[in-house]
Amino acid sequence: MRRFLLSFPFLALVLTACPSNNPTIGPGSISGVVISPGAIQNGATGLAINPVLHNDLNANRGEEVVSGEVIVKFKPTVSLQSVSSLSVNGQTLSVVRPLALERTQLYRASGLDKAGTLALVERLAARSDVEYAVPNRIWRALKTPDDTFYGAQWHYQLMNLPAAWDTTIGSASTKVAVIDTGILPHPDLAGKVTGGYDFISNPAIAGDGDGRDDDPTDAGDAEQPGEQNSYHGTHVAGTVGAATDNNAGVAGVNWAAKIVPIRVLGKGGGTTADIVDAIKWAAGGSVSGVPANPNKADVINMSLGGQGSCDAASQEAINFANSQGTIVVVAAGNSNMDASGFSPASCQGVITVGAVGPTGERAPYSNYGSRIDVMATGGDLNQTFTFGGKEYPAGVLSTLKDDQTKTFNYAFYQGTSMAAPHIAGIVSLMKAQNSGITLAQALSKLKASAAPLTAAGCNRPSASDCGAGLVDAAKALTSGSTLPPPPPPPTSQVTTYVVAFFCTTSTCLDAGNNLAIDFGRSKLNTVLQTKERTPYSIGDLEPGTYLAAAFQDINGNGKYDNEPLGAYPNAIKVAGNNITNIDIQLEPFSASGASAKSGFPREQIARLIEQKLK
C-alpha cells in the first residue's frame, strides 16, 4: 500500500498537566471515548448523523428514496408491540414489516414526497427511543459498459467513472468540439460525430490538396513517407465519446454527447491564426468565409499547445468562448516543465489538465506548476497492466487506424493530450445535468472532487504543483463531495485498538512531517465497541509527550484494511497525571494522506498500530 506523507508544516498544540510538587514524577494515564464514524462528536445525545440530512456536500447527490418509507431501529428497552404505529408531529406511520435486523421495522406514511420523507427521517432520528432512522433508498445496478476492450481502459477506473455513469451517461444534445488533427470514420465513432470543419488555411500543412473546407477528415500529420500518422484527434475523440455499451471496441467518457471535429493540425502542426478562428467558430462566433456553425460547442477540448506564454489573440478567442458559455479544457503539455510557459495551458478562462500514470502519480512527462487546475489519467507507457491474461503498456486506450494494414483499431497513447479529454468528457456530463453550468462552477466541482497528490506523488517540492489533484468523476457529478457518507454507528461488537504513541518530539512529527515515535515506550489497549461513544483508558504511561490514536478492526484480522481510523488532534503532555477527555473521532477511509480531524498522517498511524499488535 502506498505511503502518504503530509506535505505541509504542522503546528500542534500541547496539553500540559499541572506540575506536581513531587520532584519524582510517576506514571500517568490518558482516557476518553472512541467515537464511531457517523456519530455526533460533542453532546450527550448519541444520535446517528444521517448523511443525507446533515452533510451539505451531499445535498444534491440525487439519492432516490421510496416516498413515505422509513427504516427505524429502536433501542433495546423498546417493545416492538408498543410501536406498531408511530405518530410524529401529527403524521401517522404504520408498520409495513419487520426487517431481518434486530429491533428494526419498515414504516410507511402516506402523502409524502422526497423532501417530506427526509424531514420525517430527521424527526424520527431525534426520538429518545430510536437508535437510528434512515430513508428506504432505491438502489440500482451499476452501469458497466459491455464494450470489448473496456476492461483495458484502466484509466476510467482510476477516475471513478463507472460510479459517475450511475449519475448520468450524458445527453445527445451536448456538443463537444475536438480542436485537433481532425477525425477518421472509425466504426466506434459511428453516430457520434456531427458537423465540423477544416480550418487549416495552408494546403502544405493540410496535406489534403486544399485549404479550408467543410471536410474535417484527418489527412494525416506524418512528415516523412512511410511514417505512421498519429490520428491524434481520432484518439482524443474516442476518449471523449466513443460509442459505448455497444458490445464492441472501447467506451467513451460521455456515452451520448455529439463530437464536433475541428481540424487545425496537419503536417508540422498548426498556427495560432487558424486555431483562434477555430475556437471562435466552435463557440458559435462568425468567421469570415466560413459558414455558421450549426453545432455550437458546450465544451471545447484542445489537446494541443506550444512553448510560450498565452498570447493576446488566443486569450481573446478564449474570452469569447467563455462569454458564450462554452467551457474550454486544455492539455498542460508534455515537457516536464512549468505549464506557465506554454500556451494555451497558461491562458485564463481554461481548465488546464496535467497527467497521472496508473499509480496515480504525476506522469514523468507532464507539465506542472501553479497553472495546473486538476490532474487526469494520461498514461505511462513505461509501466504495464494485465488484461485478458496479457501484459500491455499502461497508456490510454482509444480509437485509431493502422496505416500498415489500413484497418481501424485501438491504440495506447500517453500524454496530457490523453488526460484533457477525460476532463472534457466529465464536464460534458456536467452539461448534461445542467446545461447552464459555468466554467467557474464546473472547475469548482472538479477541484472539490479531486484527491490531492502528495509532494512525492507529484514529484515536486510542493504538491500544489499538481493542482487540486486527481479528479473523481463520480464526486464531481454529485456536487464535489470529497468523502463518502460515513457508515452508521456499529450495532454489534467491534474490536477497536487504541494506542498511546510515545513521541520523540514535542509535536510528534519530525522535520519531514513523519511521525516521530518511540515504539517500545508506546502502550496499546483493546476495547470492544458496541456503542457510538465507547470509553477507553491507557495507564502506566511514563512522563512524556503522546499521540493518541485508534482504529476499528471491522473484519477482525488485526490489520488495517481501510477501516475507520482517527487520532486526537493534539500532542498530549503526560507528567504523572491522569489526562481525561482525550476523545478520538474515528473517520471513514479517505484517499487523503492525513486525518481530516487531526492532520496527522493516517497511513503511518495505521501501520504503527498494526505493528504494535504483532
Side-chain angles (χ1 to χ4, degrees):
M1 184 173 288
R2 287 180 56 207
R3 187 180 182 194
F4 291 85
L5 305 178
L6 284 174
S7 58
F8 49 87
F10 178 78
L11 176 64
L13 300 175
V14 178
L15 296 182
T16 306
C18 297
S20 169
N21 293 326
N22 188 338
T24 302
I25 302 176
S29 70
I30 59 174
S31 62
V33 294
V34 178
I35 306 166
S36 296
I40 294 175
Q41 185 166 7
N42 298 313
T45 59
L47 296 174
I49 296 179
N50 185 307
V52 176
L53 300 172
H54 294 271
N55 186 346
D56 291 341
L57 293 176
N58 291 331
N60 297 312
R61 288 193 57 188
E63 284 95 342
E64 297 175 274
V65 303
V66 180
S67 295
E69 291 194 355
V70 184
I71 298 169
V72 182
K73 183 179 185 69
F74 292 94
K75 293 185 176 177
T77 55
V78 177
S79 165
L80 292 185
Q81 285 78 14
S82 67
V83 287
S84 57
S85 66
L86 298 174
S87 180
V88 179
N89 287 10
Q91 183 75 49
T92 300
L93 298 87
S94 57
V95 174
V96 177
R97 60 181 173 85
L99 300 188
L101 303 174
E102 192 176 356
R103 306 187 311 279
T104 306
Q105 300 192 128
L106 175 64
Y107 287 83
R108 180 181 295 145
S110 60
L112 293 180
D113 58 9
K114 176 180 175 180
T117 302
L118 295 180
L120 178 63
V121 169
E122 188 168 24
R123 287 192 289 268
L124 280 166
R127 286 174 55 127
S128 60
D129 58 348
V130 170
E131 192 163 307
Y132 64 74
V134 297
N136 192 18
R137 290 195 182 96
I138 298 171
W139 296 35
R140 300 187 184 276
L142 297 176
K143 287 186 175 66
T144 301
D146 62 7
D147 303 78
T148 309
F149 303 123
Y150 167 69
Q153 293 180 287
W154 59 267
H155 37 99
Y156 290 167
Q157 304 288 338
L158 197 60
M159 295 185 69
N160 203 19
L161 269 157
W165 293 325
D166 288 317
T167 300
T168 180
I169 59 172
S171 167
S173 64
T174 304
K175 310 289 194 306
V176 181
V178 175
I179 298 180
D180 212 292
T181 65
I183 204 161
L184 295 174
H186 196 290
D188 219 359
L189 295 171
K192 299 303 301 291
V193 178
T194 185
Y197 207 81
D198 181 353
F199 271 88
I200 302 177
S201 55
N202 186 335
I205 296 175
D208 58 0
D210 58 20
R212 292 184 173 181
D213 56 39
D214 61 1
D215 181 4
T217 301
D218 191 339
D221 56 357
E223 297 184 61
Q224 300 296 327
E227 283 185 349
Q228 168 73 39
N229 290 288
S230 77
Y231 301 125
H232 189 271
T234 298
H235 197 280
V236 168
T239 298
V240 172
T244 303
D245 208 32
N246 62 343
N247 200 30
V250 295
V253 173
N254 192 315
W255 297 17
K258 296 295 185 181
I259 297 165
V260 183
I262 302 177
R263 188 169 184 241
V264 297
L265 303 177
K267 297 181 186 299
T271 67
T272 299
D274 288 344
I275 293 169
V276 163
D277 282 352
I279 294 170
K280 189 165 184 181
W281 187 81
S286 61
V287 177
S288 178
V290 178
N293 178 12
N295 299 290
K296 174 182 174 293
D298 300 287
V299 182
I300 291 174
N301 185 89
M302 290 199 291
S303 291
L304 47 76
Q307 201 155 357
S309 58
C310 186
D311 60 83
S314 299
Q315 189 62 66
E316 184 177 348
I318 290 167
N319 291 347
F320 175 80
N322 293 162
S323 73
Q324 301 305 301
T326 299
I327 298 175
V328 182
V329 179
V330 304
N334 303 325
S335 301
N336 190 27
M337 296 171 65
D338 195 309
S340 63
F342 292 77
S343 182
S346 62
C347 293
Q348 300 301 306
V350 301
I351 298 173
T352 302
V353 185
V356 302
T359 63
E361 298 178 339
R362 182 175 70 90
Y365 54 78
S366 177
N367 284 354
Y368 52 79
S370 61
R371 194 55 203 88
I372 303 296
D373 290 309
V374 292
M375 306 293 282
T377 44
D380 184 351
L381 296 177
N382 292 317
Q383 300 188 51
T384 60
F385 75 101
T386 301
F387 170 65
K390 295 183 179 180
E391 205 167 72
Y392 294 92
V396 170
L397 184 63
S398 190
T399 44
L400 211 72
K401 180 184 178 182
D402 186 332
D403 282 343
Q404 299 300 314
T405 62
K406 302 188 183 306
T407 57
F408 292 108
N409 63 355
Y410 304 88
F412 293 102
Y413 275 12
Q414 69 174 17
T416 56
S417 284
M418 285 56 256
H422 284 81
I423 299 301
I426 293 168
V427 172
S428 72
L429 293 175
M430 293 180 184
K431 283 281 190 178
Q433 290 180 307
N434 173 14
S435 61
I437 192 170
T438 66
L439 167 67
Q441 290 168 338
L443 185 55
S444 175
K445 283 174 169 282
L446 291 169
K447 287 184 173 181
S449 80
L453 275 66
T454 62
C458 187
N459 194 24
R460 294 288 301 155
S462 171
S464 64
D465 276 346
C466 287
L470 179 60
V471 166
D472 182 311
K475 292 176 183 177
L477 294 179
T478 54
S479 299
S481 173
T482 56
L483 287 176
T491 56
S492 59
Q493 196 173 79
V494 178
T495 299
T496 299
Y497 299 105
V498 189
V499 179
F501 288 114
F502 187 94
C503 303
T504 58
T505 68
S506 62
T507 63
C508 298
L509 295 168
D510 63 17
N513 286 320
N514 298 305
L515 289 177
I517 300 299
D518 185 328
F519 194 73
R521 298 156 83 183
S522 303
K523 304 287 184 181
L524 177 142
N525 195 6
T526 301
V527 296
L528 297 177
Q529 200 163 5
T530 57
K531 298 181 293 185
E532 296 170 4
R533 301 168 62 88
T534 302
Y536 79 91
S537 178
I538 302 177
D540 199 26
L541 300 179
E542 65 178 276
T545 301
Y546 288 83
L547 164 65
F551 92 84
Q552 276 184 353
D553 188 15
I554 292 176
N555 60 15
N557 67 355
K559 297 180 180 180
Y560 176 64
D561 299 314
N562 298 336
E563 293 154 306
L565 179 145
Y568 189 73
N570 307 316
I572 307 154
K573 181 85 170 176
V574 175
N577 290 61
N578 299 320
I579 309 297
T580 60
N581 299 319
I582 306 301
D583 297 344
I584 302 171
Q585 172 76 60
L586 297 180
E587 303 167 70
F589 168 70
S590 164
S592 168
S595 162
K597 298 292 183 185
S598 72
F600 289 109
R602 63 183 291 147
E603 184 74 18
Q604 293 181 45
I605 292 171
R607 297 308 166 210
L608 285 170
I609 295 176
E610 268 190 1
Q611 187 179 350
K612 194 68 178 172
L613 291 173
K614 295 177 181 177

